[in-house]
Amino acid sequence: MNIQFLGATGTVTGSKYLLSAGSAKVLVDCGLFQGYKQLRLRNRERLPLHPSELDAVILTHAHLDHSGYLPLLVKNGFKGKIYCSEATFELCKILLPDSGHLQEEEASYANRHGFSRHSPALPLYSEADAVRSFAFFSPVRFDTDFQVCEGLSAHLHRAGHILGAAIVSLQSAEATITFSGDLGRPNDLIMLPPSLIEKTDYLVVESTYGNRRHDSADPAILLGKTIRDTAARGGVTIIPSFAVGRAQALLYAIHLLKAGGDIPAALPIYLNSPMAVDATEIYHKHRQDHRLDYQQCEAMFRTAKIITSVEESIALNQRQLPMVIIAASGMATGGRVLHHLKAFAPDPRNTILFVGFQAGGTRGAAMIAGADAIKIHGEYVPLRAQVSQIDNMSAHADADEILDWLSHFSSPPRQTFITHGEPAAADALRRRIEEKLHWSCRVPDYLESVELP
Ligand SMILES: [Zn+2]
């Protein structure tokens, strides 16, 4: 076997691993690069092989940095099958067209206002391209072996993280290789803990929080205090969040805060996303994939008024009243949250609260670093609102939790590749694994190709 790292090296975005076994060629994850411009430009580079040469794609989960390149792969000639869990397929059916739609919108906005250096600005792919990719999906069950192509079988284990997320193991005649995907947390409010893996010859493990330990304080306490304090000064709490998955976890936490009297029961909560309604059904349908029962799911959805129309979304920006708005995207790289930031970031009564990892080069990372203005749609918006972050609500395992997950392997993999982390995080995790577990580790470079004997 041979693995080539086509993304998630030195960054948490662009996950794409090309695995070759004999004549078989499979891509594990097919994500978009996000954040720094030099990373985003890679979305427009050619892959080292023609997409038609690929036998299959296997997705660990639906987040766009793992799935968002698929429509382009199909547009450029991919003809194989896309394997993933049922819930991942259902989430992709919501997320990929939305991603195409946002890219079309951004391109047309840039063309109308003339702030793109490319003329005309072209989207990477359209909503219609995304819909065309659905025909290639072939959802599979968790915990069951399936044939990927001649000489290669695979198995999805539950990863926690978000609905449908999987740890993927692939087996050829010579060896097994396991991809952690994004590893969830042992005690998540909604998601189940990641499955324990006993054995693999090669391991590719994520390192988003490879140099950090999540605060042990209950994140709900900080969430409650932030929302309460902001409302008390007449402010709006804006929570940039991925609309499917993280948003639901937030709503459940807010439901518990309201039920416990920690925040005012009458405080309006809005989930502003055209995708949110569809997500409701998916949570009900995949109850075996998470911890909530029917009543808890219902309570979670009743917590927020769901805003789907553009008119209602714009209307929210006119009201400076205590409220909470949850809107995508989670790193403020695009989506409706940008319009809310334009409207609410200049007012010091308001709070912008981040609950997920903020990749370098994103507006989210800049705001947390203390920027006094953010560039949105070509113009600078002053940032006077309070900016805070609750790391502990993250859907990613921290360094201790990753180490703990690794310590359940019965024998060390021959080689462990550490990916999906910014350089300091990946290197810190490498050092910890080498020192604590004495495993052979390596942090691969972009486009590096490694033989797996
Ligand atoms: Zn993810």
Side-chain angles (χ1 to χ4, degrees):
M1 284 203 289
N2 175 288
I3 186 170
Q4 190 178 12
F5 297 87
L6 308 185
T9 51
T11 164
V12 299
T13 70
S15 280
K16 259 183 239 90
Y17 308 104
L18 175 60
L19 192 71
S20 311
S23 62
K25 289 195 185 321
V26 171
L27 207 55
V28 176
D29 278 341
C30 192
L32 281 180
F33 286 100
Q34 297 165 321
Y36 293 116
K37 184 165 183 184
Q38 73 266 30
L39 290 178
R40 283 182 283 121
L41 287 173
R42 287 184 187 167
N43 290 326
R44 298 192 183 259
E45 281 172 16
R46 252 176 221 277
L47 294 177
L49 81 173
H50 193 273
S52 64
E53 294 171 55
L54 283 167
D55 294 291
V57 174
I58 306 177
L59 295 183
T60 60
H61 65 293
H63 276 152
L64 289 177
D65 58 319
H66 296 257
S67 73
Y69 190 86
L70 275 173
L72 191 58
L73 194 78
V74 169
K75 185 177 156 184
N76 290 343
F78 173 73
K79 297 269 187 285
K81 282 192 168 167
I82 302 165
Y83 295 103
C84 63
S85 69
E86 289 276 350
T88 294
F89 179 35
E90 285 167 41
L91 293 179
C92 281
K93 280 195 276 188
I94 303 174
L95 293 167
L96 296 178
D98 184 67
S99 167
H101 175 74
L102 282 178
Q103 290 177 52
E104 286 181 79
E105 244 181 14
E106 271 164 32
S108 89
Y109 199 93
N111 289 331
R112 274 201 315 279
H113 297 267
F115 62 74
S116 171
R117 260 164 257 155
H118 316 275
S119 69
L122 291 174
L124 265 185
Y125 56 85
S126 65
E127 189 173 350
D129 292 327
V131 171
R132 274 191 283 277
S133 72
F134 297 169
F136 297 85
F137 276 82
S138 181
V140 290
R141 286 162 175 264
F142 277 110
D143 301 324
T144 312
D145 288 341
F146 62 96
Q147 186 81 25
V148 178
C149 54
E150 182 78 28
L152 211 53
S153 66
H155 191 104
L156 304 186
H157 317 262
R158 285 195 171 78
H161 188 57
I162 62 159
L163 217 56
I167 297 162
V168 175
S169 297
L170 282 134
Q171 174 134 35
S172 75
E174 292 87 42
T176 51
I177 180 165
T178 298
F179 296 82
S180 73
D182 286 2
L183 207 56
R185 319 238 347 241
N187 300 308
D188 191 89
L189 199 54
I190 293 189
M191 296 311 300
L192 297 168
S195 302
L196 300 176
I197 308 294
E198 210 181 302
K199 214 172 166 342
T200 188
D201 296 315
Y202 298 96
L203 176 67
V204 178
V205 65
E206 71 127 320
S207 60
T208 311
Y209 287 96
N211 56 349
R212 276 195 265 173
R213 183 180 296 153
H214 293 315
D215 193 342
S216 60
D218 181 353
I221 293 175
L222 202 49
L223 179 68
K225 183 175 162 35
T226 306
I227 294 174
R228 200 166 55 237
D229 291 353
T230 306
R233 56 176 188 262
V236 178
T237 304
I238 306 282
I239 311 182
S241 163
F242 194 69
V244 181
R246 273 301 86 186
Q248 281 70 29
L250 272 166
L251 291 183
Y252 189 60
I254 291 172
H255 153 70
L256 295 177
L257 288 169
K258 281 194 165 186
D262 297 301
I263 59 173
L267 186 70
I269 314 290
Y270 297 98
L271 174 54
N272 182 5
S273 165
M275 299 177 268
V277 179
D278 298 334
T280 310
E281 211 181 301
I282 299 176
Y283 271 80
H284 276 313
K285 194 168 152 192
H286 295 281
R287 271 215 301 282
Q288 75 284 7
D289 287 1
H290 59 74
R291 298 179 194 263
L292 305 186
D293 61 23
Y294 182 86
Q295 270 75 22
Q296 289 169 317
C297 281
E298 284 292 301
M300 171 166 81
F301 298 122
R302 274 199 307 270
T303 301
K305 176 165 168 38
I306 291 174
I307 304 287
T308 51
S309 79
V310 175
E311 294 71 29
E312 282 179 299
S313 173
I314 292 168
L316 277 184
N317 292 334
Q318 317 297 326
R319 37 182 306 183
Q320 175 65 58
L321 289 171
M323 59 178 168
V324 175
I325 302 176
I326 303 169
S329 72
M331 299 189 286
T333 50
R336 289 186 175 180
V337 79
L338 295 186
H339 298 276
H340 297 316
L341 291 175
K342 259 183 175 171
F344 296 114
D347 188 330
R349 287 176 297 173
N350 302 330
T351 300
I352 300 158
L353 176 62
F354 290 94
V355 292
F357 185 80
Q358 301 301 311
T362 59
R363 289 188 189 87
M367 285 189 259
I368 286 168
D372 51 16
I374 35 167
K375 197 174 178 186
I376 298 177
H377 301 141
E379 60 187 72
Y380 279 95
V381 177
L383 178 56
R384 297 188 201 98
Q386 302 211 359
V387 175
S388 44
Q389 185 176 32
I390 307 179
D391 246 6
N392 199 5
M393 289 205 83
S394 168
H396 287 269
D398 68 8
D400 289 357
E401 290 163 345
I402 295 171
L403 256 292
D404 187 62
W405 181 74
L406 296 175
S407 70
H408 287 89
F409 281 77
S410 62
S411 55
R414 289 182 218 164
Q415 180 77 259
T416 297
F417 299 98
I418 296 160
T419 61
H420 201 287
E422 294 188 345
D427 196 58
L429 188 66
R430 172 194 64 76
R431 230 177 15 240
R432 279 197 67 183
I433 298 175
E434 284 174 352
E435 282 166 10
K436 271 198 99 170
L437 302 173
H438 311 292
W439 292 7
S440 166
C441 294
R442 173 164 181 166
V443 178
D445 282 324
Y446 180 52
L447 297 181
E448 190 177 338
S449 172
V450 182
E451 283 303 322
L452 308 176

